[in-house]
Amino acid sequence: MNLFVLSQLGNVRGHVGWLASYDFEQVLVDTCGATLIYPERNNKIRFLKRFRHRIFKSWFKVEDLPSLPQGPNVLLVTGISPDALLMMPALGSLTKKFDLRIAYLFDVYKPCDLDKKVILDFDYLFFPIAEIAYKVNKIFSVNTGFLPHAFNSLEFASGQQHRCIDVISYGRSNLDLHKQLQANFNQPGTEGIYYHTSFSGAQVNSYKEHRMLLAKLLEKSKISLCFEPSQDKRFEGYSPLLTRWLEGFAAGCAIVGKKPFGQGVDNLINWPSSTIDIPDNPSDWIPFFEGLLGDSERLTAISQRNYSECLLRHDWRYRLKDMFQTLNLPIPERLDNELLQLRQKAEFNLAKV
């Protein structure tokens, strides 16, 4: 099997929200030998969306089309926004030469934003939100599948126990909780350490460097804050399991906040204390955190369980195997070998507990 990945990542400039897409691509290349294709945006049609199919072939253009070897040849279109599907027409006549055309879209919360003319050219579409996969299937009568978010645990997971950061928070958070933690942990004379982002910009200089730094910060943290996102306008009321949970699990953090309630989430994180809900009453928050941080035995048990469960369930390699099996595609030998490595790391960790 030859895997070609048509990626939207080349059209963004270091936006931190695309880190999960970067991780996914790294595993596709390293584990499956995928060929990445980064099309350029066709700026001539920025303001002609309504007539793009009549006047232009694509919103995007690819300067050097790849040559297809003996098959099967699989095209995987991946990106965050619905516009990712509009990259495929940039391949021109090469599109029809692929044996299979599939897509994996990270952040689609309005199925109506998907382009019907393009979507029907795909054999299968995967989404990390079960409800969206179901709706797209019903609206467009195309094959869809639920493929949850994952993480590159094989490379970045860490089960170490020496942790010098008490609580870490990054990205979306609870502002009222932030104020309390800042006031009680980060004042002169206090012993606790609450690490949080203190800037509002979303740009990073290097996805690779940002991933390595974030992984290091998390592996040094006892607690990572994660809140289900349904109240955020962007998520349209959906409450999926997001990458930040998996980053925390892989680093051996205890996850504290509010557990997501989307379809299928319970089965993904159904071990004890996978997410510890904070009390509803704000006056109980600081005593709650102080009590949890003071219970080193419980934190150690949670850390080891989260780390092991991520190795056993939530690496991108498991998702790729599920995808290939759904499509009746062969499993690359290296993928099988790395899945074995994940299980061995988890078993070794559990044997120490």
Side-chain angles (χ1 to χ4, degrees):
M1 177 182 67
N2 308 303
L3 185 60
F4 294 82
V5 178
L6 189 63
S7 171
Q8 199 179 17
L9 189 62
N11 283 282
V12 293
R13 295 183 178 179
H15 191 287
V16 69
W18 290 71
L19 187 60
S21 182
Y22 168 81
D23 288 339
F24 182 49
E25 288 186 14
Q26 294 306 300
V27 176
L28 286 167
V29 172
D30 295 342
T31 303
C32 302
T35 298
L36 294 178
I37 305 171
Y38 291 129
E40 297 178 14
R41 186 171 289 275
N42 188 346
N43 292 321
K44 293 180 180 179
I45 57 172
R46 280 182 70 183
F47 306 106
L48 296 173
K49 178 178 179 181
R50 181 179 177 185
F51 303 105
R52 65 180 180 272
H53 293 305
R54 300 179 191 176
I55 305 174
F56 300 98
K57 292 182 179 180
S58 175
W59 275 20
F60 299 85
K61 56 184 178 180
V62 177
E63 295 294 342
D64 297 309
L65 293 175
S67 299
L68 301 187
Q70 184 176 353
N73 292 302
V74 179
L75 175 66
L76 169 60
V77 177
T78 183
I80 287 186
S81 71
D83 287 356
L85 298 185
L86 299 176
M87 296 186 297
M88 193 169 71
L91 298 178
S93 60
L94 185 66
T95 302
K96 298 297 183 181
K97 296 180 181 179
F98 287 97
D99 299 288
L100 201 63
R101 292 163 293 276
I102 61 178
Y104 183 55
L105 302 179
F106 283 77
D107 275 26
V108 172
Y109 301 102
K110 292 182 179 180
C112 58
D113 288 343
L114 294 168
D115 191 285
K116 183 175 182 180
K117 181 178 177 61
V118 177
I119 203 172
L120 296 177
D121 289 331
F122 284 87
D123 300 295
Y124 223 104
L125 292 98
F126 294 92
F127 300 90
I129 302 174
E131 297 95 322
I132 295 296
Y134 175 80
K135 287 184 178 180
V136 172
N137 171 263
K138 294 303 178 184
I139 294 172
F140 298 100
S141 297
V142 294
N143 295 315
T144 61
F146 171 42
L147 198 71
H149 287 290
F151 185 67
N152 188 357
S153 306
L154 187 60
E155 184 172 356
F156 293 107
S158 173
Q160 69 164 285
Q161 291 307 300
H162 176 66
R163 297 172 183 268
C164 53
I165 299 172
D166 293 296
V167 183
I168 187 171
S169 174
Y170 57 100
R172 278 177 301 99
S173 190
N174 180 311
L175 183 58
D176 293 330
L177 175 60
H178 164 76
K179 291 178 180 178
Q180 287 200 26
L181 290 172
Q182 175 69 16
N184 286 272
F185 282 76
N186 287 357
Q187 299 303 311
T190 58
E191 294 185 2
I193 299 177
Y194 165 50
Y195 176 85
H196 59 91
T197 50
S198 56
F199 49 87
S200 58
Q203 299 302 120
V204 294
N205 295 326
S206 163
Y207 286 120
K208 181 178 181 180
E209 290 181 1
H210 182 67
R211 164 51 65 219
M212 294 173 70
L213 174 60
L214 181 56
K216 183 63 68 174
L217 288 168
L218 284 165
E219 75 175 28
K220 294 293 185 181
S221 301
K222 300 172 185 176
I223 295 172
S224 178
L225 300 183
C226 298
F227 291 88
E228 71 83 18
S230 63
Q231 299 303 311
D232 191 302
K233 183 178 179 181
R234 167 191 160 205
F235 291 91
E236 297 289 332
Y238 295 105
S239 184
L241 178 67
L242 299 174
T243 306
R244 64 178 57 202
W245 265 264
L246 311 177
E247 292 170 332
F249 292 152
C253 299
I255 305 299
V256 172
K258 291 295 180 181
K259 184 178 180 180
F261 54 81
Q263 184 178 332
V265 170
D266 274 343
N267 291 332
L268 294 171
I269 51 174
N270 60 359
W271 62 91
S273 299
S274 62
T275 300
I276 305 170
D277 283 352
I278 64 168
D280 292 328
N281 190 338
S283 64
D284 295 330
W285 288 347
I286 295 303
F288 163 79
F289 278 95
E290 290 176 340
L292 182 56
L293 289 166
D295 193 343
S296 58
E297 185 175 341
R298 184 187 180 195
L299 279 179
T300 297
I302 292 172
S303 172
Q304 293 300 299
R305 182 66 183 269
N306 287 353
Y307 168 72
S308 296
E309 292 289 352
C310 197
L311 289 171
L312 290 170
R313 300 189 189 202
H314 294 304
D315 191 277
W316 276 119
R317 293 158 183 84
Y318 294 111
R319 305 296 186 256
L320 289 174
K321 184 174 182 179
D322 289 343
M323 176 189 286
F324 295 156
Q325 288 180 330
T326 297
L327 301 169
N328 295 315
L329 292 171
I331 307 300
E333 182 179 357
R334 182 164 181 176
L335 177 57
D336 262 338
N337 291 337
E338 292 184 351
L339 287 170
L340 177 60
Q341 292 176 44
L342 284 163
R343 292 189 291 270
Q344 289 174 337
K345 286 183 69 173
E347 289 168 3
F348 177 76
N349 182 66
L350 290 170
K352 296 189 302 181
V353 177

